[in-house]
């Protein structure tokens, strides 16, 4: 009897044991010296918050990826030579213990690629016509109605289904691959249409807005037929990458339809909902959407992607959202990855304004850029035009502010931060100055001053950086976004000479 008990205990452990798996590439005539391997097990905490992509050296045309895995998953391999426009990508489906040998000529990979070794039946090139199909549907981006693109997606899916049928008959792949590709074909119209329609407002503009209800009706019909809380879909990379984007598109939809706010905030009146919404239109709203539309593992994953995108970016309300998340998912594998970042956010909240953060009083008396230049005359200054409402601005603070100041420590460089369109957010403005430790001079700009400065700089985006020189001249940063710090360093060094 004891032997049977021991077997019953140990077998589940053995089933979860990780087994070495590898993909060996042999590429002729390659013009790159590295290839990447991307783990598409995106809902796994270690992948979502860890190193998803591994760069592997390609030496004499050979590169090998290997890892310990406990279940079948997709690994995307590829490279891109921007000089020669040489591009290769391949979606491998590997199971524990697989050892794939892949060879091809980089000059003509489509006709020369050969896959051999253990697991070869799951990885023949024909399957890439489905898994690596990246049809953009650009031809329909000006359409005001959804029916042409829906037909195109439907036809493409029929093509996929035939390819999968042919593949299964020819290669007899593992049942796990058959099941995941069947799901792929079933859900392809859903995520493809929702991805396209979610961005259509940017392409078709007013024409889309006039017919938005028709686009939404198609979306509703697809989501009604296909449950989005099906965790079997987590094995499909396209789907798990789609989910966080879909959450953002739902948020944007609510932004433009504030009559929906009482539904999401569970309030009796629009006024109550607006008050809650205005406290945090980003992170809390996404949490509300998650709780209304998703459940179980899907909701848990979307919470994790919310944290991933907001940490070191727009961190509003994250400790409060985290507290609610932990209560709902006390054993979540994401918690060890999130807790240190949340503690850091809580510590930053304790920061106060210091005498190194100079607030210019009566800043509304400044109406022109010339007046600002007079304020800093004879100094070399890095000007940062930002706003509390600006999504990229906090991320730039987190990634670059401390590094810039450390680089120019003990140098004759000063910092001027001008907040724009924030006259009604004065308290929030001061909180963020302390939160991000923005030592320097601060101006809360009038709309008139903002218009004059941005017009003079010929810029419309935020954040905007400029270097103000001792002689009263100035130049826009050439560092771009996301900021290339080395480019900015060179510009400032030249200004300091």
């Amino acid at each position: 009897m004891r032997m049977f008990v021991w077997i019953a205990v140990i077998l589940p452990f053995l089933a979860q044991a990780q087994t070495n798996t590898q993909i060996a590439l042999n590429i002729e005539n390659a013009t790159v010296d590295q290839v990447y391997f991307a783990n598409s097990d995106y809902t796994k905490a270690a992948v979502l918050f860890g190193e998803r992509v591994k760069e592997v050296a390609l030496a004499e045309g050979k590169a090998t990826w290997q890892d310990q895995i406990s279940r079948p998953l997709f690994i995307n391999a590829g490279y891109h030579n921007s000089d020669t426009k040489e591009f290769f990508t391949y979606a491998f489906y590997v199971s524990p213990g697989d050892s794939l040998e892949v060879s091809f000529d980089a000059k003509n990979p489509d006709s020369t690629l050969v896959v051999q070794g253990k697991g070869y039946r799951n990885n023949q090139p024909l399957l890439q016509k489905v898994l690596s199909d990246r049809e953009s549907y650009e031809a329909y981006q000006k359409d005001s109605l959804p029916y042409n693109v829906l037909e195109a997606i439907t036809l493409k899916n029929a093509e996929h289904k035939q390819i999968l049928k042919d593949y299964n008959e020819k290669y007899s792949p593992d049942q796990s691959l058959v099941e995941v590709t069947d799901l792929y074909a079933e859900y392809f119209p859903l995520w493809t249409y929702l991805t396209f329609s979610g961005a259509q407002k940017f392409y078709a503009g007013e024409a889309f807005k006039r017919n938005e209800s028709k686009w939404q009706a198609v979306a509703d019909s697809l989501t009604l037929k296909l449950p989005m809380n099906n965790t079997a879909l987590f094995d499909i990379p396209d789907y798990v990458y789609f989910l966080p984007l879909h959450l953002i598109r739902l948020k944007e939809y609510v932004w433009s339809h504030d009559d929906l706010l009482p539904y999401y905030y569970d309030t009796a009146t629009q006024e109550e909902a607006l008050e809650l919404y205005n406290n945090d239109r980003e992170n809390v709203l996404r949490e509300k959407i998650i709780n209304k539309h998703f459940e179980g593992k899907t909701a848990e994953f979307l919470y994790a992607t919310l944290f991933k995108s907001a940490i070191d970016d727009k961190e509003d309300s994250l400790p409060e959202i985290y507290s609610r998340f932990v209560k709902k998912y006390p054993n979540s594998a994401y918690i060890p990855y999130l807790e240190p970042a949340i503690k850091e956010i809580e510590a930053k909240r304790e920061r106060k304004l210091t005498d190194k953060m100079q607030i210019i009083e009566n800043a509304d008396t400044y109406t022109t850029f010339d007046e600002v230049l007079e304020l800093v005359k004879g100094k070399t200054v890095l000007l940062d035009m930002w706003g509390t409402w600006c999504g990229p601005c906090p991320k730039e603070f987190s990634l670059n502010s401390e590094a810039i100041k450390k680089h120019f420590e003990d140098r004759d460089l000063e910092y001027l931060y001008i907040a724009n369109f924030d006259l009604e957010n004065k308290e929030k403005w001061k909180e963020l100055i302390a939160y991000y430790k923005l030592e320097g001079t601060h101006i809360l700009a009038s709309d008139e001053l903002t218009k004059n400065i941005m017009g003079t700089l010929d810029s419309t985006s935020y954040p905007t950086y400029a270097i103000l020189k001792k002689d009263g001249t100035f130049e826009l940063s050439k560092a771009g976004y996301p900021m290339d710090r080395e480019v900015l360093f060179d510009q400032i060094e030249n200004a300091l000479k």
Side-chain angles (χ1 to χ4, degrees):
M1 178 67 72
R2 288 180 181 176
M3 180 179 293
F4 290 114
V5 171
W6 181 84
I7 292 174
V9 170
I10 199 68
L11 282 180
F13 172 77
L14 292 175
Q16 294 297 315
Q18 295 188 333
T19 307
N20 192 60
T21 304
Q22 74 172 28
I23 303 168
L25 300 182
N26 185 1
I27 310 172
E28 295 182 10
N29 300 312
T31 60
V32 296
D33 55 13
Q34 281 190 326
V35 292
Y36 70 81
F37 292 90
N39 187 329
S40 295
D41 195 7
Y42 197 52
T43 62
K44 187 177 180 180
V47 176
L48 180 62
F49 291 101
E51 186 178 353
R52 189 173 71 89
V53 177
K54 290 183 179 179
E55 297 281 354
V56 178
L58 186 67
E60 298 182 350
K62 293 181 171 57
T64 300
W65 167 91
Q66 58 183 355
D67 204 351
Q68 301 282 328
I69 65 174
S70 59
R71 67 180 188 86
L73 54 85
F74 284 98
I75 299 292
N76 288 331
Y79 58 78
H80 179 216
N81 187 325
S82 57
D83 295 328
T84 64
K85 309 301 181 186
E86 186 180 325
F87 176 81
F88 171 75
T89 183
Y90 204 97
F92 293 99
Y93 183 78
V94 292
S95 296
D98 279 358
S99 182
L100 295 172
E101 300 168 7
V102 184
S103 61
F104 62 92
D105 188 328
K107 291 183 177 179
N108 193 7
D110 291 341
S111 62
T112 61
L113 194 142
V114 176
V115 182
Q116 302 178 90
K118 186 178 180 183
Y120 81 97
R121 293 182 182 277
N122 298 330
N123 291 286
Q124 294 305 304
L126 178 62
L127 192 59
Q128 300 306 303
K129 293 184 178 181
V130 177
L131 299 179
S132 296
D133 185 351
R134 292 295 177 263
E135 175 65 54
S136 67
Y137 303 96
E138 288 182 5
Y140 308 102
Q141 286 179 349
K142 298 297 182 183
D143 284 10
S144 59
L145 293 170
Y147 309 118
N148 289 333
V149 72
L150 180 62
E151 181 181 9
I153 292 170
T154 303
L155 289 173
K156 175 61 70 174
N157 200 42
E159 180 184 321
H160 286 170
K161 288 180 177 179
Q162 185 59 52
I163 292 170
L164 292 174
K165 182 174 182 293
D166 294 342
Y167 188 93
N168 293 343
E169 290 175 353
K170 185 174 182 179
Y171 295 109
S172 300
D174 292 348
Q175 184 61 28
S176 62
L177 178 61
V178 173
E179 291 173 1
V180 78
T181 51
D182 282 350
L183 268 177
Y184 184 103
E186 184 180 4
Y187 276 81
F188 174 83
L190 171 74
W191 79 65
T192 306
Y193 176 83
L194 291 181
T195 300
F196 182 89
S197 63
Q200 190 66 352
K201 59 180 175 289
F202 302 117
Y203 299 124
E206 290 299 323
F208 170 80
K209 290 181 182 179
R210 288 195 301 271
N211 297 286
E212 188 176 20
S213 62
K214 294 181 174 64
W215 289 86
Q216 189 59 41
V218 174
D220 291 342
S221 67
L222 289 169
T223 54
L224 186 65
K225 288 186 293 186
L226 298 169
M228 298 183 73
N229 291 297
N230 183 353
T231 54
L233 294 162
F234 284 0
D235 290 332
I236 303 174
D238 283 358
Y239 186 76
V240 292
Y241 300 154
F242 151 76
L243 275 174
L245 175 62
H246 181 52
L247 177 59
I248 291 171
R249 292 292 181 248
L250 287 172
K251 175 200 69 179
E252 292 169 350
Y253 185 79
V254 177
W255 279 353
S256 59
H257 296 80
D258 63 8
D259 57 304
L260 295 172
L261 292 175
Y263 167 74
Y264 285 103
Y265 286 84
D266 295 313
T267 60
T269 68
Q270 179 76 0
E271 290 72 22
E272 291 174 295
L274 276 170
E275 184 177 353
L276 294 170
Y277 166 68
N278 286 330
N279 289 331
D280 179 1
R281 301 184 180 200
E282 182 67 47
N283 297 331
V284 169
L285 176 56
R286 279 194 282 173
E287 180 189 23
K288 296 291 184 183
I289 293 169
I290 291 170
N291 290 333
K292 283 294 185 182
H293 294 293
F294 303 96
E295 60 188 33
K297 289 290 184 182
T298 305
E300 181 186 2
F301 167 63
L302 284 173
Y303 262 106
T305 65
L306 187 166
F307 289 116
K308 179 178 172 62
S309 65
I311 289 170
D312 291 330
D313 198 333
K314 206 163 180 61
E315 298 177 335
D316 295 0
S317 310
L318 288 189
E320 292 77 15
I321 295 171
Y322 177 74
S323 177
R324 295 189 285 268
F325 171 77
V326 171
K327 287 180 180 177
K328 292 183 70 170
Y329 305 101
N331 300 313
S332 175
Y334 299 119
I335 289 175
Y337 294 88
L338 295 172
E339 190 169 11
I342 297 301
K343 287 183 176 179
E344 185 176 340
I345 291 169
E346 290 174 333
K348 286 192 287 187
R349 282 184 173 184
E350 297 298 316
R351 292 174 178 170
K352 306 296 181 184
L353 291 172
T354 72
D355 56 4
K356 292 183 179 181
M357 303 166 192
Q358 183 184 0
I359 306 293
I360 298 295
E361 301 297 337
N362 302 317
D364 54 352
T365 62
Y366 294 91
T367 59
T368 69
F369 193 21
D370 285 339
E371 292 169 341
V372 172
L373 291 174
E374 190 64 28
L375 176 68
V376 297
K377 187 175 180 179
K379 302 174 182 177
T380 304
V381 178
L382 177 60
L383 168 64
D384 184 342
M385 301 288 287
W386 70 291
T388 65
W389 44 268
C390 162
C393 294
K395 188 167 188 177
E396 289 291 296
F397 291 149
S398 295
L399 294 176
N400 298 306
S401 182
E402 184 177 344
I404 293 170
K405 287 174 179 171
K406 184 175 182 180
H407 184 87
F408 291 100
E409 191 175 13
D410 300 325
R411 302 288 299 279
D412 191 19
L413 178 66
E414 297 193 12
Y415 303 88
L416 174 61
Y417 300 90
I418 298 182
N420 304 274
F421 308 116
D422 267 324
L423 293 176
E424 296 181 358
N425 301 319
K426 192 170 184 178
E427 292 307 312
K428 181 71 171 179
W429 169 59
K430 290 183 177 180
E431 286 175 10
L432 291 186
I433 292 171
Y435 186 89
Y436 290 106
K437 204 176 180 181
L438 303 180
E439 295 178 352
T441 302
H442 294 269
I443 294 177
L444 184 59
S446 65
D447 291 350
E448 185 178 3
L449 178 59
T450 294
K451 182 178 179 181
N452 187 268
I453 294 177
M454 296 299 278
T456 305
L457 294 175
D458 193 24
S459 177
T460 58
S461 61
Y462 296 88
T464 284
Y465 298 96
I467 296 95
L468 312 183
K469 303 178 184 180
K470 293 179 182 180
D471 62 4
T473 61
F474 57 86
E475 63 180 28
L476 271 175
S477 163
K478 300 173 184 176
Y481 176 79
M483 179 192 290
D484 184 335
R485 282 205 302 264
E486 294 303 320
V487 172
L488 183 64
F489 288 170
D490 287 344
Q491 275 189 274
I492 295 174
E493 291 286 359
N494 288 330
L496 286 168
K497 290 178 180 178

